[in-house]
Amino acid sequence: MAPPPLSPLVRAPERASTRRRQLLLGVLALIALTWFLYPSRSPEPQILHEAPYLQSCPKETRHIAIIGAGSAGASAAYYINRFRQPCHRVDITIYERNHYVGGRSTTVNVYDDPDEPAELGASIFVKVNQNLVNAAERFNLPVNSMRKTSKRDEPEVLGVWDGQEFVFTQSDASNQYWNIAKLLWKYGMSPLRTQRLMKKTVGSFLKMYDGPYFPFKSLTQTAFDLDLLSATAATGQDFLQANYISEMFGHDIIQASTRVNYAQNLPQIHGLETMVCMAIEGGMSIKGGNWQIFDNMIQDSGATLFLNTSVASITKDAGKYTVKATTLDPAHDIGATIESTYDTIILASPLQFTNITFSPPLASPPPPIPYVSLHVNLFTSPFPLSPSAFNLHSSTGMPTTILTTTPPPDSEIKEIPFNSISTLRTVLSPMECFSPEEDSDDEPQCKMPQREYLYKIFSPRPLNISYIESLLDTKAVKSSSASDDDDGGKAITWMYEKRWDSYPYLPARSTFDELRMAFQEEEEDGKGDGEEEGGIWYTSGIEEFISSMETSSLMGMNVARLVV
């Protein structure tokens, strides 16, 4: 028999006790949430590592060639100039095969309008990225904070899509404490454990900027000394499990971050890079493009820069290195050969993409780095994202940024065609005028400028136009030039497509490429590991450790300190 219902006199104290418990839990949650939202201090100002004082100045100028003008190459030139002794004369030459500086950090102009640049590659950096933050401040570059809202009327909403439903959503219109409370309610202590693990792991990595670890001659040894190999030697999935982070939180939140940042799921990416994906505090970018950091670094270094120039060969003779390169004049499709001799070479680009011939051959060339093939679509449209494309019945709460995770095991959907969709901002389309036919007396018709959405999609394979259009709510609005009997004008008004070798596949591993490359004769003579400042240095090994603008800059700075 069921017990009799409690009388009102009994229920009232119980309700009061429940309210007190809820209040206590609320206070404890507030403390935890405050710690979660404000987890770390701003990075300490970077201390420049001074070169040992020289009793006498070198009489000869040191000639250094850098191949690649991306983050690593620009940083190497910048820090060589900063680390060298005041009386130490250094001549730096940079060879870049592209027509621009910045490597995978570059922009395109929306509608071909230089006032509307959009990041095509590396989009943001965060406040623990010491080199980039310090350079931006030193060069007085204007910064966009990711906390600031875009030029949109509606709130920004983040959603994680598994092919069937949004497993998590968060709006910037909501109270931040409420957003974090939702995380804790659904995932328990896993968000806090993740934050704690991220701080510990990233904190160990940040020690690589200072002595006694900086400058490092072996990435593998330094990672071992800092206990970072325990993170790189495990998959993200295993690393999270070993640290008591729930499978649900890993699947819904952390994997969404590894997919948007590296196009890889937790079983395929190592634990260190997984933690780096969660270090998102203080996200920012440079107004007009992050490439400006590297352009300013090169200008500050005083280096001679050759754009549209590919290095064909490097020949060693009598301790010097002769570089032969071909520079192309794009306007006239004419190539000219450049030949110069250097004391030191810094290869700041993956060896496999350079097609350089070495004479004599390299003794143990670094193996090819397997890169993810990533497809980027930047496009504009007058239409918002379609709720029905994501199984929603209303535009209320429709995410403006959509990350993805893997579909449920029982789902008929085996793969989501895209990794992420971002509504970057709104832009004003250009005015377009159309001349009438020759025999017509009609006046030219002009389409007035209208406010449109600028979208960015990352995908593992090319996306066709019809699929992209299916993601848009073409019945939500009509463009200002559309008539009542059409369907609101073109769904896509401008598009730019790019395929990147974006970042390496990052499986669990415990060794990384060496910083020095020796010729066969050096290895036979036992000189391949010599202490001399010359030789050929290689920066790209760090990409399989952590692949980012900041870590490439760190390796460029590290090599710079080793060679001067």
Side-chain angles (χ1 to χ4, degrees):
M1 179 181 294
L6 295 176
S7 69
L9 293 178
V10 177
R11 289 197 195 100
E14 183 182 82
R15 286 198 297 269
S17 176
T18 300
R19 285 196 296 270
R20 285 195 296 271
R21 286 198 300 270
Q22 289 174 338
L23 179 61
L24 177 60
L25 288 173
V27 171
L28 292 175
L30 183 63
I31 295 171
L33 296 177
T34 303
W35 178 82
F36 185 86
L37 284 169
Y38 306 102
S40 60
R41 299 174 298 169
S42 297
E44 298 295 332
Q46 183 179 315
I47 299 173
L48 205 60
H49 304 273
E50 300 292 344
Y53 177 74
L54 298 177
Q55 295 295 329
S56 60
C57 295
K59 294 182 179 180
E60 297 182 354
T61 298
R62 181 89 172 280
H63 297 277
I64 300 174
I66 299 174
I67 302 170
S71 176
S75 298
Y78 174 67
Y79 284 105
I80 285 172
N81 186 53
R82 299 200 73 190
F83 289 154
R84 68 180 179 85
Q85 293 283 351
C87 65
H88 192 167
R89 292 175 297 177
V90 176
D91 180 76
I92 305 171
T93 303
I94 301 176
Y95 298 94
E96 170 55 54
R97 63 178 179 172
N98 291 309
H99 67 277
Y100 60 88
V101 165
R104 282 162 282 173
S105 176
T106 187
T107 59
V108 294
N109 296 327
V110 180
Y111 309 123
D112 296 322
D113 181 355
D115 292 330
E116 290 288 358
E119 291 284 359
L120 186 60
S123 300
I124 66 168
F125 53 98
V126 295
K127 75 176 188 179
V128 295
N129 293 160
Q130 299 179 22
N131 284 6
L132 302 185
V133 170
N134 291 337
E137 291 177 355
R138 184 165 190 257
F139 300 129
N140 296 314
L141 297 174
V143 172
N144 282 317
S145 170
M146 294 299 105
R147 285 186 177 274
K148 294 180 180 178
T149 56
S150 307
K151 293 180 285 186
R152 294 203 303 266
D153 295 330
E154 67 271 20
E156 295 184 39
V157 181
L158 171 71
V160 180
W161 171 251
D162 72 353
Q164 294 184 170
E165 63 177 349
F166 286 105
V167 296
F168 181 80
T169 58
Q170 176 176 296
S171 172
D172 69 354
S174 302
N175 183 279
Q176 288 184 333
Y177 291 101
W178 173 245
N179 284 330
I180 304 302
K182 285 169 58 180
L183 279 171
L184 295 180
W185 178 261
K186 183 171 184 178
Y187 301 110
M189 295 300 292
S190 287
L192 299 180
R193 289 176 181 149
T194 300
Q195 187 73 356
R196 190 182 307 120
L197 181 60
M198 180 276 292
K199 288 178 64 180
K200 176 185 175 183
T201 307
V202 173
S204 295
F205 160 72
L206 291 176
K207 294 178 181 179
M208 294 176 67
Y209 289 78
D210 297 303
Y213 304 103
F214 183 93
F216 49 89
K217 296 182 179 179
S218 167
L219 179 55
T220 301
Q221 183 63 50
T222 303
F224 173 80
D225 294 341
L226 291 169
D227 194 30
L228 290 172
L229 292 187
S230 61
T232 65
T235 66
Q237 186 177 57
D238 292 342
F239 192 63
L240 297 177
Q241 183 178 5
N243 286 278
Y244 306 102
I245 295 166
S246 73
E247 183 177 351
M248 181 187 292
F249 185 70
H251 172 270
D252 293 358
I253 306 300
I254 302 178
Q255 184 166 262
S257 186
T258 64
R259 285 169 65 91
V260 68
N261 284 296
Y262 295 105
Q264 292 162 73
N265 296 323
L266 288 174
Q268 285 82 47
I269 191 171
H270 61 63
L272 176 59
E273 199 74 277
T274 300
M275 288 296 98
V276 168
C277 288
M278 301 307 292
I280 59 175
E281 185 183 3
M284 65 190 83
S285 62
I286 303 299
K287 292 181 181 179
N290 295 325
W291 61 270
Q292 295 171 93
I293 293 178
F294 311 119
D295 185 57
N296 275 272
M297 282 182 164
I298 291 173
Q299 292 184 49
D300 188 82
S301 73
T304 300
L305 174 64
F306 289 103
L307 297 176
N308 295 303
T309 303
S310 298
V311 173
S313 66
I314 298 175
T315 303
K316 183 182 180 185
D317 183 35
K320 302 288 185 178
Y321 303 88
T322 300
V323 171
K324 288 185 179 180
T326 300
T327 184
L328 181 66
D329 179 357
H332 303 94
D333 197 24
I334 298 173
T337 299
I338 301 172
E339 183 172 327
S340 298
T341 300
Y342 300 93
D343 302 291
T344 302
I345 306 289
I346 300 175
L347 181 54
S349 177
L351 177 62
Q352 70 215 59
F353 298 143
T354 64
N355 297 317
I356 297 174
T357 300
F358 294 88
S359 179
L362 294 174
S364 300
I369 299 172
Y371 276 83
V372 172
S373 178
L374 184 74
H375 295 264
V376 182
N377 284 89
L378 281 168
F379 66 96
T380 58
S381 173
F383 304 110
L385 293 173
S386 169
S388 62
F390 298 95
N391 299 334
L392 297 178
H393 302 294
S394 168
S395 61
T396 303
M398 174 64 199
T400 54
T401 295
I402 300 173
L403 309 185
T404 62
T405 189
T406 46
D410 58 351
S411 173
E412 295 181 359
I413 300 171
K414 300 307 177 185
E415 182 183 68
I416 300 172
F418 61 89
N419 298 333
S420 64
I421 304 174
S422 301
T423 311
L424 300 181
R425 60 181 187 266
T426 60
V427 291
L428 196 63
S429 67
M431 178 184 291
E432 294 182 89
C433 292
F434 307 93
S435 300
E437 297 180 3
E438 291 183 5
D439 298 333
S440 173
D441 295 330
D442 295 338
E443 295 292 328
Q445 298 295 314
C446 292
K447 176 183 175 183
M448 300 303 293
Q450 61 179 344
R451 187 61 64 179
E452 297 186 334
Y453 299 97
L454 173 61
Y455 295 103
K456 186 176 188 178
I457 300 183
F458 290 156
S459 61
R461 279 172 284 281
L463 299 176
N464 59 50
I465 298 296
S466 60
Y467 175 77
I468 296 175
E469 289 178 340
S470 73
L471 302 175
L472 302 171
D473 189 359
T474 56
K475 299 189 182 300
V477 296
K478 288 186 177 182
S479 67
S480 58
S481 62
S483 60
D484 291 336
D485 58 353
D486 68 22
D487 199 24
K490 292 191 297 184
I492 296 174
T493 56
W494 172 88
M495 176 173 282
Y496 190 95
E497 302 173 69
K498 171 72 176 180
R499 189 199 73 82
W500 286 108
D501 290 311
S502 51
Y503 20 68
Y505 286 99
L506 296 156
R509 59 183 297 159
S510 55
T511 60
F512 301 92
D513 291 337
E514 295 298 326
L515 278 65
R516 298 287 298 274
M517 296 196 302
F519 289 93
Q520 287 181 359
E521 64 176 19
E522 292 177 319
E523 191 164 272
E524 292 168 1
D525 295 340
K527 298 178 181 179
D529 296 322
E531 298 295 323
E532 69 276 7
E533 298 166 347
I536 299 184
W537 299 81
Y538 187 55
T539 67
S540 293
I542 201 167
E543 287 213 56
E544 293 179 287
F545 179 69
I546 300 174
S547 180
S548 69
M549 291 187 290
E550 175 67 18
T551 47
S552 290
S553 178
L554 169 62
M555 185 58 90
M557 179 177 74
N558 183 70
V559 169
R561 184 61 191 87
L562 291 171
V563 303
V564 295

